[in-house]
């Protein structure tokens, strides 16, 4: 199994898209994650929808809104949308503390770091 992050944007429309991806692919949702970090002296979160591979494919997509949502007001509505889809799908949100992406020279290195954490904690399958 190969995991790959697919990054959406940071705005309101992006969190709506992330929630809609989870809703329309409800039979494929593997996990809902909330990556928490401090970036540029503010607490931010990155909601992640992890889907199971489609059909016989071996790609497991991880859709993310990277560090675009402040952990405190005024972003409460965006977090509520993510919590609502969690309740609707009856899949708990797993919070994880991580380093900020700005600590890495490339986004790909950051995503490899996150995938390593997820594999070590058995939140996604190992590389096959």
């Amino acid at each position: 199994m190969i995991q790959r992050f697919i990054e959406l944007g940071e705005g309101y429309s992006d969190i709506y898209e992330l929630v809609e991806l989870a809703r329309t692919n409800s039979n494929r949702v593997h996990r809902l994650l909330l990556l928490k970090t401090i970036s540029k002296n503010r607490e931010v979160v990155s909601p992640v929808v992890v889907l199971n591979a489609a059909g016989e494919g071996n790609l497991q997509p991880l859709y993310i809104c990277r560090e675009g949502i402040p952990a405190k007001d005024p972003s409460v509505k965006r977090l509520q949308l993510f919590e609502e889809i969690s309740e609707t799908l009856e899949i708990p949100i797993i919070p994880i503390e991580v380093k900020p992406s700005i600590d890495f020279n490339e986004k790909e290195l950051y995503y490899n770091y996150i995938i390593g954490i997820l594999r070590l904690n058995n939140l996604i399958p190992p590389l096959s």
Side-chain angles (χ1 to χ4, degrees), residues 108-126:
E108 196 64 34
L109 294 174
Y110 172 71
Y111 288 135
N112 286 338
Y113 157 74
I114 300 298
I115 286 172
I117 290 172
L118 299 178
R119 285 184 184 151
L120 282 172
N121 288 288
N122 297 314
L123 296 173
I124 59 175

Side-chain angles (χ1 to χ4, degrees), residues 79-90:
L79 289 176
Q80 284 176 343
L81 290 170
F82 198 60
E83 291 167 356
E84 287 170 8
I85 195 65
S86 168
E87 291 172 12
T88 300
L89 300 177
E90 297 179 351

Side-chain angles (χ1 to χ4, degrees), residues 4-6 8 15 17-23 25-26 28-34 46-52 60-65 82 85 89 91:
R4 182 174 308 136
F5 275 93
I6 300 170
L8 303 175
I15 192 70
E17 184 66 23
L18 185 71
V19 167
E20 190 59 26
L21 277 166
R23 186 181 334 282
N25 291 287
S26 61
R28 291 182 54 205
V29 175
H30 178 68
R31 301 248 193 259
L32 297 175
L33 310 172
L34 193 63
S46 303
V48 181
V49 173
V50 181
L51 298 181
N52 290 312
Q60 183 171 39
L62 295 93
Y63 290 91
I64 185 172
C65 291
F82 198 60
I85 195 65
L89 300 177
I91 298 174

Side-chain angles (χ1 to χ4, degrees), residues 65-80:
C65 291
R66 183 176 50 94
E67 298 172 356
I69 302 175
K72 307 218 188 278
D73 289 332
S75 65
V76 174
K77 178 63 176 168
R78 287 186 275 179
L79 289 176
Q80 284 176 343

